[in-house]
Amino acid sequence: MLPDLDLRLVRYFLAVAEQLNFARAAEELRVAQPSLSRQIQRLENVLGVRLLERTSQGSRLTAAGAAFLPRAQQLVHSAEQAVLTARAAAPARTITIGYADDLVITPAVRDLRNRHPGAHVRTRHLSSRDAGALLDRQVDALVIRAPLPIPADDLAVTTLYTEPLVVLTSTAHRFAGKESVDATDVWSEPLVGCTGMSKDWIGFWRLEPREDGGPAPVGPILADTYADKLEAVAEGSAIAVVPADDRRFTLRPDLVAVPVDGAGPSRVVVASRAEETNPLVAEFVSSAENLLVRES
């Protein structure tokens, strides 16, 4: 009769086989080196063979260890897949909802919790540049402004409402006293440059494409965060196009928001993975469509 294998011991073996050094493997596994040595010896006793030999340079696999390695890797991978398969088949009772920047999702979250009192509904605040959390499965649904700063090919995207655009300037800027400006007026002004975002996202907020087909002029400062963008605008080195309903710039008395005519609106959307099977995601999208509407 074949012995039962402890997956924990197999994982320990894989760590040592990868590092070929007990000290480094112990550090990676966050266990004491003597304990790791004892666990490897336990596995060898169960198998009845020697898997590793210590050398002056570290360790090396025996013939039995080299033969066992690919099967051990397959065994751990199969176990992980079995866990994921079982979890996917079980009724979902947990959802993590992301929301970006200044957007508020409280009414929809409250409604979802009221309709599913046994579910664990979590929320997570993100910046726009962290939208990849949806693709990485750190959140299951995401309320954010479009265009998305991440590829949307494998996403389901539902528009909740639209927001007009404004141009944000310093109080000393020539636009500051105007009731509105045309999109063509904005084209001649340098805009705050942003880093780490998708081409579609950058193009939209720079009001591209333009009539001449050229790119928007960019100011001397590259903003890594929204606060950096506001600072660059306030000091007068550039302007920025932002949603009219964004609340964050209203905290700065040194900034002025001027409506932009001739520019398409921003969309607030709820996005999820297209292949999503968690029924709570569809329930949240329904709540969002009913309750996350633009204030008049």
Side-chain angles (χ1 to χ4, degrees), residues 191-207:
L191 295 171
V192 178
C194 295
T195 60
M197 307 302 274
S198 71
K199 181 179 179 181
D200 289 344
W201 189 94
I202 292 174
F204 178 83
W205 295 109
R206 291 183 181 176
L207 302 185

Side-chain angles (χ1 to χ4, degrees), residues 145 161-167 204-205 241-246 249 258-261 263-268 294-295:
R145 288 183 175 94
Y161 58 92
T162 61
E163 300 171 306
L165 301 184
V166 297
V167 59
F204 178 83
W205 295 109
V241 176
V242 299
D245 295 338
D246 194 312
F249 66 78
V258 182
V260 179
D261 298 327
S266 168
R267 292 184 300 128
V268 174
R294 184 184 173 210
E295 298 178 0

